[in-house]
Amino acid sequence: MAARKWAQLHGVSVEVPVVPDRETAHGWLVEELARPEYAQDPSVLMRLLTWLARIFDEIGTVDVSPWRLAVIVAVVLVVVVAIALYVAGPARLRRHAATSSAVVHDDDTRTAAQMRAAADAAAAREDWPLAVIERFRAVVRGLEERVVLDERPGRTAREAAQTAGSRLPGLSTELHDAAGRFDGVCYGHLPAGPADDAALRALDDQVAAARPTAPAPPVREGVQ
């Protein structure tokens, strides 16, 4: 039953043998290890391969019934999948945050004041993740309204922090911390609480009161 369930979850025909022989069991494990999750951490993969090879070597030296072999394979597959989820999770989060962490989307035409109001409303009902997301958006939109940042839909949180930090050097660290918090909550589905909301509120006030430095002049090609 465990082998059949594994086959269904992984897109393998459910007609595969429920009680595999050694060759079939080895094939299942090789197929599982070919999945892209294991490419994220070669060291973990090598340790896993060594462990599996040792298991099959030991099985080959003793007489194991087909049913006992099926149980062994099912247990090994559970361990393999658990390792895949552990290894792939952080890498998937990093890729997702790097490619998808747009602060303000193309169709979001709200003002900074409207975004602050949305953050206040979320905080009032203790929806802390939404409060953090909307407050950081308000910070970025406010900088756009003051022409500290150019209006560019799709800008990532990190890009906003980098550019704004160069114009507001005294708040560079706070801006980068806020960008990391935004990415973690919005795209990494990390928890948020009152302290996170308070930190974003303080940053919003500090950014509004700060006087930006003049933008750096463009570097002319051929001039040193």
Side-chain angles (χ1 to χ4, degrees):
M1 182 63 68
R4 183 178 296 275
K5 184 176 181 180
W6 174 87
Q8 292 172 338
L9 290 175
H10 287 73
V12 179
S13 171
V14 295
E15 298 304 321
V16 296
V18 175
V19 182
D21 54 23
R22 287 189 178 89
E23 183 177 353
T24 301
H26 184 269
W28 285 358
L29 294 175
V30 170
E31 179 181 349
E32 174 63 28
L33 289 173
R35 294 166 65 84
E37 290 88 335
Y38 304 100
Q40 306 302 331
D41 193 332
S43 63
V44 172
L45 176 59
M46 290 305 299
R47 292 197 297 272
L48 185 58
L49 287 173
T50 301
W51 176 64
L52 291 175
R54 186 167 61 250
I55 286 178
F56 276 96
D57 286 343
E58 292 174 356
I59 290 176
T61 62
V62 297
D63 185 17
V64 179
S65 69
W67 286 107
R68 182 169 296 181
L69 179 60
V71 172
I72 293 173
V73 170
V75 172
V76 170
L77 287 174
V78 169
V79 174
V80 167
V81 171
I83 292 175
L85 293 175
Y86 174 78
V87 172
R92 184 167 52 249
L93 175 58
R94 288 193 297 269
R95 290 197 306 271
H96 192 69
T99 59
S100 304
S101 59
V103 178
V104 181
H105 298 289
D106 295 354
D107 57 352
D108 193 341
T109 60
R110 292 176 299 166
T111 65
Q114 290 172 322
M115 292 176 176
R116 290 188 186 99
D120 290 340
R125 60 178 182 270
E126 298 186 353
D127 186 349
W128 304 117
L130 183 59
V132 165
I133 291 168
E134 293 288 19
R135 188 75 60 183
F136 187 75
R137 285 173 174 163
V139 170
V140 174
R141 180 52 53 86
L143 290 169
E144 291 175 349
E145 291 173 351
R146 295 169 59 192
V147 201
V148 176
L149 295 175
D150 61 306
E151 293 188 14
R152 181 156 58 87
R155 174 189 280 115
T156 69
R158 295 296 182 182
E159 290 170 343
Q162 182 69 32
T163 305
S166 67
R167 299 289 310 278
L168 302 170
L171 295 174
S172 179
T173 299
E174 290 82 355
L175 286 164
H176 280 86
D177 288 346
R181 184 179 285 110
F182 172 87
D183 276 344
V185 172
C186 188
Y187 296 102
H189 306 293
L190 298 181
D196 300 294
D197 177 60
L200 265 295
R201 285 176 181 270
L203 177 63
D204 194 11
D205 292 339
Q206 291 173 315
V207 168
R211 298 184 61 181
T213 62
V219 178
R220 296 176 59 186
E221 187 175 351
V223 177
Q224 298 182 351

